[in-house]
Amino acid sequence: MNVKRTIPAFLVLLMVSSPVVYYQLGNLVYTQAAASNLECSGHSARNTPDQFSVSLWNEDIDEAMYEKSDTLAGDLSSLWFDTWDNATIEVPNEDITLAAWVMESNASRPWVILVHGIRSCKANHEVLIPAAWLHQADFNVVLFDLRDHGNSTVEDGLVSAGQREWRDVVAVWSWLQSEKGVPSASIGLYGVSLGAGTAAIAFDQERDIEAVFLESSFASMDKILAEELAFGGFPAFLKDAAVFAGKVSSGDNLVKHEPLSAAKHIGNRSMFITQSEEDYRIKLHHSQSLCDTAKANVGDSGHVECWFAPSSVAHEDSGEPGVLSHVTLMLTQPEAYENRLVQFFESSLATTDAVV
């Protein structure tokens, strides 16, 4: 065996194959991280507006749980809807149809569009609970499935971290204006988790959106990708490989639009940012960054409000604190959450009959 020839040949092979290996590793991370769940992680089979319950993302992690019956989740019947309408909404210039639930309360009152998180849908309690609170306060609400989620069009089965989905939000916003005659000043957005990031991007891209409420949002996809890799036990260098693979395989630049840009461009509009202090799915620094940036850039007639609070409740048997983490303040502090939610949109959206 000629070692002098074998070693250089191996190095040449490694150099030639490295870009391929780099892409394959990145694509593996990208397709796993971006995979949607067309069954809505079980929510669709269990929940409808007239009867829904709570299921948490980390329900199988015993150390992160306590009895949900100690929270609002113990009885949601007062929030169940009596009636709702189904609607299909087309995304302009795309072969995408969105499935929506429309709950109209009062034609003269404002509207709020609620945007769900990743591998979720409009049947998740995370949007149904705030929708019910708003509806009971005489707001009109729309819940819909983002593309590649629920009953909306399956484009490629992958989530683009808001890079494409923000157009779905704007499509619903435009639909309310064209189909319901609602002025833009009377339409707000509520987003949760990935849906909050998506709502923030829509708020940034469409400067006529008046108000956005962000629950457990990410601020920077670049940062959260690195954190997600660490959470899953992967090396950090795969972050750039995943971004590269996304560009090659689907054309998505996962870091092109960032929610933080919405805070920079808030202007004379309104933004509410909230998150559980114990959240370990999305780190609290994301919401803190959004809050600080929005407050530094808001105009004289704009409004920024931030609320970070614990979502921990003691176990009845031991007195030791339990932990609910991601998107849980609405369960552990429901009265405070409802009041802040309703008051934010009352103060930031105009009634439709007040808009000339």
Side-chain angles (χ1 to χ4, degrees):
M1 181 177 179
N2 190 327
V3 176
K4 290 185 178 181
R5 290 184 179 181
T6 303
I7 292 178
F10 172 75
L11 291 175
V12 170
L13 178 61
L14 183 62
M15 292 174 64
V16 171
S17 65
S18 288
V20 177
V21 173
Y22 182 75
Y23 168 76
Q24 292 294 345
L25 286 172
N27 195 54
L28 177 64
V29 173
Y30 167 68
T31 53
Q32 288 187 355
S36 181
N37 184 315
L38 301 180
E39 296 179 355
C40 187
S41 300
H43 300 297
S44 289
R46 182 179 58 254
N47 291 342
T48 54
D50 61 343
Q51 188 170 347
F52 54 89
S53 60
V54 168
S55 178
L56 301 174
W57 75 271
N58 60 341
E59 201 155 21
D60 59 331
I61 306 176
D62 293 337
E63 62 268 24
M65 295 297 300
Y66 63 91
E67 290 297 325
K68 289 185 296 182
S69 59
D70 292 344
T71 74
L72 176 70
D75 183 7
L76 297 177
S77 59
S78 64
L79 300 178
W80 295 344
F81 290 86
D82 294 326
T83 60
W84 68 94
D85 295 318
N86 293 304
T88 55
I89 300 170
E90 304 294 330
V91 179
N93 305 315
E94 296 188 69
D95 190 22
I96 302 291
T97 300
L98 308 173
W101 289 332
V102 180
M103 294 80 160
E104 188 167 0
S105 174
N106 185 331
S108 67
R109 293 281 290 157
W111 287 76
V112 178
I113 301 165
L114 294 101
V115 189
H116 64 79
I118 190 171
R119 302 183 187 95
S120 184
C121 64
K122 64 183 183 297
N124 195 333
H125 74 273
E126 295 171 350
V127 286
L128 282 164
I129 289 174
W133 282 331
L134 288 166
H135 193 254
Q136 290 176 353
D138 213 24
F139 283 84
N140 307 293
V141 296
V142 180
L143 301 90
F144 74 101
D145 297 329
L146 293 165
R147 68 183 69 192
D148 293 302
H149 290 82
N151 295 314
S152 291
T153 298
V154 178
E155 188 174 31
D156 58 9
L158 298 173
V159 180
S160 70
Q163 306 304 317
R164 286 175 282 162
E165 292 88 354
W166 73 265
R167 299 195 294 268
D168 302 346
V169 178
V170 173
V172 178
W173 177 79
S174 299
W175 178 85
L176 283 175
Q177 295 174 72
S178 61
E179 294 297 319
K180 297 287 187 178
V182 185
S184 62
S186 301
I187 307 172
L189 306 179
Y190 173 99
V192 55
S193 194
L194 176 75
T198 301
I201 293 171
F203 183 79
D204 185 41
Q205 294 299 305
E206 179 47 76
R207 303 293 168 84
D208 286 335
I209 296 177
E210 194 65 30
V212 63
F213 189 109
L214 304 177
E215 159 69 81
S216 304
S217 180
F218 64 94
S220 165
M221 180 50 60
D222 184 69
K223 289 182 179 179
I224 203 169
L225 276 174
E227 291 165 2
E228 284 288 293
L229 286 169
F231 184 84
F234 293 99
F237 79 87
L238 289 178
K239 175 196 64 141
D240 294 332
V243 172
F244 172 72
K247 291 178 182 179
V248 172
S249 61
S250 67
D252 291 326
N253 180 353
L254 299 179
V255 297
K256 179 179 180 181
H257 301 302
E258 296 276 44
L260 193 61
S261 182
K264 293 177 181 177
H265 300 135
I266 182 174
N268 290 315
R269 298 179 293 165
S270 299
M271 180 178 289
F272 194 108
I273 302 143
T274 188
Q275 189 170 3
S276 165
E277 292 175 348
E278 287 98 353
D279 196 335
Y280 60 84
R281 193 69 185 88
I282 293 179
K283 302 298 184 182
L284 185 60
H285 71 78
H286 286 275
S287 287
Q288 291 173 327
S289 179
L290 285 166
C291 179
D292 293 343
T293 303
K295 286 183 174 181
N297 289 280
V298 67
D300 293 338
S301 60
H303 174 68
V304 177
E305 192 171 347
C306 307
W307 178 45
F308 310 132
S311 62
S312 179
V313 176
H315 288 287
E316 291 182 358
D317 55 350
S318 66
E320 293 296 322
V323 176
L324 282 175
S325 60
H326 192 50
V327 192
T328 49
L329 280 178
M330 67 177 68
L331 301 178
T332 60
Q333 300 195 44
E335 185 176 347
Y337 198 110
E338 177 183 4
N339 289 339
R340 285 172 167 82
L341 174 70
V342 171
Q343 288 304 313
F344 171 71
F345 284 118
E346 288 284 11
S347 64
S348 60
L349 297 178
T351 57
T352 60
D353 56 4
V355 179
V356 179

